[in-house]
Amino acid sequence: MTIILERHQNDLDSKGKVMTKRRRFVAGNWKMNGSLDANRALLNDLVDSVKEAESDVVVFPPALYVQQVSAIVDGSNIAVGVQNISAEKSGAFTGEISVEMVKDFGVKYALIGHSERRTLYGESDKDVALKCKAAVEGGLIPVICVGETEEERENGKTEKVIKKQIVSVIEQIGIEYFKEAIIAYEPVWAIGTGKTATPEEADAVHEFIRCTLKEYDANISNLIRIVYGGSVNASNVDSLFKKDNIDGALVGGASLKAEEFTKIAFAK
Ligand code: PGA
């Protein structure tokens, strides 16, 4: 509950109607990039350059570098997340990392169901649901990623695919787990390709996601932050952020350049 109060401000418009302002969320997904030296150089710049940003700023380094990154950003307004998390608490799960382990290093967020995890590592909607449950129960904020492929979009299946990805999580664990969650809409065809969804295309899907959530809980649908990802950069971010339903960005390639990522963190 406290988190929700921190994240959102309710304002009254001229007619006295309550309007929700959702705090912007700008996150850098570093994917499998970085080194001790490169991370230090990037973060030394960022810690300073995003100091005055009004958005929530988060970086998602490879898990191995979380300890280094947490130490560097300590005391700054940059938070740290992991790119994946186990749904299990501990035990014989070779290669996996648990929620409690990453919390030892100050991690606050977990990306869940990124399209690269779904397509390259076979993560199912069920895995996404269980990871989301484990993250919330352990006190991490899940950033649940959804998105359609190019073929699905061309065949008019975007809404059907997105709805299935969201509803199957809700049906397995319950809508209450979305209270603390963030949703990232990342069309697979826009990731790392330089092809961005137009602001109109993205906004339409974000609105569709909000409507889908509304069937379960109107309050959550109104408060949840839905961020866009897929070739976001300093030049296209402003037009995306002008849209009512776009509450921020999940940035891949452009998050590895301090100047570019800073511009995104300050975009209005
Ligand atoms: P991109 O990646 O910005 O390089 O397209 C986004 C993502 O995969 O999160």
Side-chain angles (χ1 to χ4, degrees), residues 118-133:
R118 292 179 190 256
T119 55
L120 303 173
Y121 302 100
E123 273 186 22
S124 64
D125 289 335
K126 183 169 181 209
D127 295 323
V128 173
L130 296 178
K131 287 176 181 210
C132 184
K133 185 167 187 279

Side-chain angles (χ1 to χ4, degrees), residues 29 31 111 114 116 186 190-194 229-232 250-254:
N29 173 12
K31 309 196 179 186
L111 286 186
H114 187 280
E116 286 149 21
E186 299 204 302
I191 296 179
T193 58
S231 299
V232 175
L250 180 55
V251 188

Side-chain angles (χ1 to χ4, degrees), residues 30-81:
W30 293 3
K31 309 196 179 186
M32 201 171 75
N33 294 296
S35 66
L36 287 174
D37 288 345
N39 304 344
R40 196 177 306 110
L42 174 60
L43 292 168
N44 282 346
D45 286 348
L46 277 184
V47 163
D48 227 43
S49 63
V50 302
K51 210 162 40 192
E52 311 285 327
E54 283 170 22
S55 333
D56 285 340
V57 180
V58 185
V59 292
F60 289 86
L64 193 59
Y65 292 119
V66 158
Q67 186 172 13
Q68 178 208 19
V69 170
S70 284
I72 298 176
V73 303
D74 190 32
S76 78
N77 61 337
I78 302 176
V80 184

Side-chain angles (χ1 to χ4, degrees), residues 76-115:
S76 78
N77 61 337
I78 302 176
V80 184
V82 283
Q83 299 171 14
N84 179 32
I85 198 73
S86 174
E88 305 292 340
K89 285 194 161 55
S90 65
F93 302 101
T94 302
E96 293 290 287
I97 297 175
S98 75
V99 172
E100 287 308 313
M101 290 173 185
V102 302
K103 278 176 55 193
D104 269 348
F105 296 97
V107 165
K108 293 217 165 62
Y109 297 86
L111 286 186
I112 296 179
H114 187 280
S115 74

